[in-house]
Amino acid sequence: GRGWVDAAGRAHGEGAPGLPWTDGIPPGFAESTGGTAGGSVGLWAIEALAAPAVMRFQFHFCSNRPTNRIDRPHWPTAHIAAAARAAEGTCALLQAALTGEGATKEAKALAAKLAPYGVRVELLLALLFALGNKWKAEWQRVREDDAVACVWLNEAVAFESQLRGPLALPTRAPGVLAMLCKLSGAVSRWARLEGDASAEALARVLRSPRGWAEAQQQR
């Protein structure tokens, strides 16, 4: 079956043309299978691991649940981080079966071709793929609300740092900032919000009793 690609796609429609992935399929996956989900059937165990994690994400954050709130972007990202950490032991066992000392040459070659980032990162990418579909579906509502847009941007920056740090997402794999910047008008919206915040901060400093002297001290 199509595994986690189907599981992630059902929430917000098949594929995600606006995301940094080919036809809605994460990097590595698309590159190694010619851009088709069916090419992963040889690594069904990874799909079996990822599919329920993605469906659990959908249940909480892509349906009519109290946990699905656009003004709480840190909820789904915290869920992804927790899910990735909780699965570390299972991922290590599966990775050993695919590429460890007891693995066959065929299994190692298949894993290198179809799961180039390793099992743990492929699971993380599957969850990020589901998050990307969620963001794509919600962005038009988010961009119209300054407060919510600021919360989203702040969380994207914070989660990107977590992905590259504790969660060890490889630098060659796009994270949430790349995903966010692919959303329609996201970069210009971000720039305007930053400009407005900077202008407001400067005006506030200049209205203070010490005026420009205080602004100079804060540089």
Side-chain angles (χ1 to χ4, degrees):
R2 288 170 58 91
W4 57 262
V5 175
D6 265 351
R10 277 195 295 269
H12 300 301
E14 292 295 332
L19 300 179
W21 303 317
T22 304
D23 296 327
I25 300 171
F29 189 92
E31 293 168 5
S32 62
T33 64
T36 60
S40 69
V41 293
L43 293 183
W44 61 267
I46 296 181
E47 291 189 356
L49 173 67
V54 169
M55 287 188 284
R56 192 174 300 111
F57 178 92
Q58 280 185 248
F59 176 84
H60 289 294
F61 306 110
C62 300
S63 61
N64 187 23
R65 304 281 174 182
T67 46
N68 185 19
R69 293 179 51 175
I70 64 171
D71 63 335
R72 297 291 188 272
H74 59 287
W75 287 358
T77 56
H79 177 91
I80 289 174
R85 286 193 293 266
E88 285 181 355
T90 304
C91 289
L93 290 174
L94 182 52
Q95 189 68 54
L98 292 171
T99 62
E101 292 183 1
T104 64
K105 291 182 178 180
E106 292 77 8
K108 292 180 179 180
L110 194 63
K113 179 181 179 183
L114 300 182
Y117 296 114
V119 175
R120 185 190 61 79
V121 176
E122 293 295 333
L123 172 62
L124 185 56
L125 287 174
L127 289 166
L128 291 178
F129 174 71
L131 177 66
N133 275 345
K134 172 182 168 65
W135 280 8
K136 188 173 184 290
E138 296 174 344
W139 173 243
Q140 292 306 316
R141 284 193 301 157
V142 170
R143 66 181 297 181
E144 296 173 1
D145 187 311
D146 284 359
V148 176
C150 284
V151 172
W152 264 47
L153 293 169
N154 288 338
E155 178 55 28
V157 171
F159 191 47
E160 180 77 16
S161 178
Q162 189 176 9
L163 286 171
R164 304 302 180 183
L167 295 177
L169 183 69
T171 56
R172 63 186 182 277
V176 289
L177 288 183
M179 184 169 69
L180 179 68
C181 290
K182 287 289 184 178
L183 298 175
S184 177
V187 174
S188 59
R189 188 77 170 90
W190 192 347
R192 187 174 72 78
L193 288 170
E194 291 286 0
D196 291 347
S198 298
E200 181 181 349
L202 180 59
R204 185 170 57 251
V205 168
L206 294 179
R207 287 194 300 268
S208 69
R210 297 184 60 194
W212 186 247
E214 183 175 339
Q216 292 286 73
Q217 289 181 357
Q218 293 185 12
R219 291 181 57 184

